[in-house]
Amino acid sequence: MRRIPLIVFSAVFVFPFVLQIANAFKTDPDAAAHPLSPIPHPATSSAFERVFLGTDLPVWLGNSLLVTVVVTLGRVLLDSMAGYALARLRFRGRAGVFAAVIAVMAVPGVVLFIPKFLVLNTLGMYDSYLALILPIVADAAGVFVMKQFFESVPRSVEEAARIDGAGTFRVFWSVVLPMSRPALITLTILSFQSSWNEFPHTLVAVQDPALFTLPRGLADLVSGSLGGGTQFPLKLAAALLATIPVAVIFIVFQRYFIRDPNEGAEKS
């Protein structure tokens, strides 16, 4: 009996995704007439063909892949280094830096739109890949997550490495970082998801259609570039293609979300 509420809530959350998949394989008249039907009549893949042949989806996918990979790698490296510095190193102003990180997390992103545009335009980076990547290559939330995880790592492991002659960076890179695989994987998933789905930043970073990422391109697609008609199957097919990479990454790495940091020490 206890499983019944879980099954009900799961069905409520899963049903919209089922409808998305079903409508992506419907014809335009069928999707307009029966949008809540989970079974297409008839089933067709014409919407996916139109997405690839009739839109700039391949360009958007390429741009999103480039931006997401670079931003994810940058966040994993920079956020982990900053988190370790705040967790272990003693330097003047450390408390102030950490307070600034927390403050940045509390600032709504919309407040930074105009300053971000002015900075990008002043530095000559506006409407370029650098404008898409550089402002989001580090993340305050990622720094906070890594700092909290590093503080849970036993200091005895680091002290043993220092006795063997390892310096600060060697301790971080060769000892602490391998132990932080659960936190790194979590940060990787969150960074991949946020950078793949990033839309507001692209509004102030680029205006050239050749630089549009997938969210920006889909927004342009939905806002009227398709022409007349609802064209639900085409829109949902494009949205489904945008959802697949994030879903795959999450499913593959979800088992690493919660792990004991001592596990890494035992394996190393």
Side-chain angles (χ1 to χ4, degrees):
M1 293 297 293
R2 295 180 179 178
R3 296 182 180 180
I4 294 179
L6 295 178
I7 295 175
V8 172
F9 280 110
S10 299
V12 170
F13 281 100
V14 170
F15 189 64
F17 294 100
V18 174
L19 291 181
Q20 179 186 21
I21 296 174
N23 281 281
F25 286 95
K26 292 179 181 180
T27 61
D28 287 339
D30 185 27
H34 308 97
L36 298 181
S37 173
I39 301 176
H41 296 285
T44 176
S45 61
S46 61
F48 293 93
E49 297 173 4
R50 284 186 292 161
V51 165
F52 278 102
L53 299 179
T55 70
D56 292 328
L57 184 71
V59 175
W60 304 337
L61 281 173
N63 290 338
S64 284
L65 185 62
L66 172 64
V67 172
T68 299
V69 169
V70 175
V71 169
T72 300
L73 292 177
R75 286 186 179 182
V76 170
L77 177 62
L78 298 177
D79 291 357
S80 60
M81 293 177 66
Y84 182 76
L86 291 173
R88 288 292 193 258
L89 303 186
R90 298 292 182 265
F91 56 89
R92 186 183 299 273
R94 187 182 68 153
V97 173
F98 183 63
V101 171
I102 300 298
V104 169
M105 293 173 59
V107 176
V110 67
V111 176
L112 303 176
F113 279 2
I114 295 179
K116 189 182 295 185
F117 168 77
L118 293 176
V119 170
L120 292 175
N121 194 41
T122 301
L123 297 179
M125 294 190 298
Y126 180 72
D127 217 17
S128 66
Y129 285 110
L130 195 61
L132 286 172
I133 294 172
L134 190 60
I136 59 175
V137 77
D139 177 52
V143 175
F144 178 80
V145 169
M146 295 307 299
K147 175 185 180 297
Q148 297 304 111
F149 189 90
F150 286 139
E151 288 182 343
S152 68
V153 175
R155 290 182 178 270
S156 58
V157 179
E158 300 175 65
E159 293 171 356
R162 294 184 187 280
I163 292 175
D164 291 337
T168 300
F169 185 79
R170 182 64 181 275
V171 171
F172 162 74
W173 187 260
S174 300
V175 179
V176 179
L177 205 59
M179 295 174 59
S180 308
R181 187 173 63 173
L184 290 175
I185 292 177
T186 301
L187 179 60
T188 299
I189 295 174
L190 296 177
S191 298
F192 185 94
Q193 181 183 27
S194 63
S195 55
W196 181 267
N197 295 327
E198 180 63 50
F199 171 68
H201 171 67
T202 63
L203 294 176
V204 298
V206 295
Q207 65 177 356
D208 185 356
L211 296 175
F212 282 3
T213 57
L214 196 54
R216 180 72 181 273
L218 291 179
D220 183 65
L221 203 66
V222 173
S223 64
S225 64
L226 293 173
T230 57
Q231 303 195 55
F232 289 143
L234 192 148
K235 297 176 182 178
L236 292 174
L240 180 61
L241 292 173
T243 305
I244 290 175
V246 177
V248 170
I249 291 294
F250 180 81
I251 293 172
V252 171
F253 293 106
Q254 64 176 338
R255 69 178 185 272
Y256 295 106
F257 269 5
I258 301 176
R259 290 288 180 86
D260 186 354
N262 292 324
E263 178 184 345
E266 294 171 358
K267 292 182 179 181
S268 59

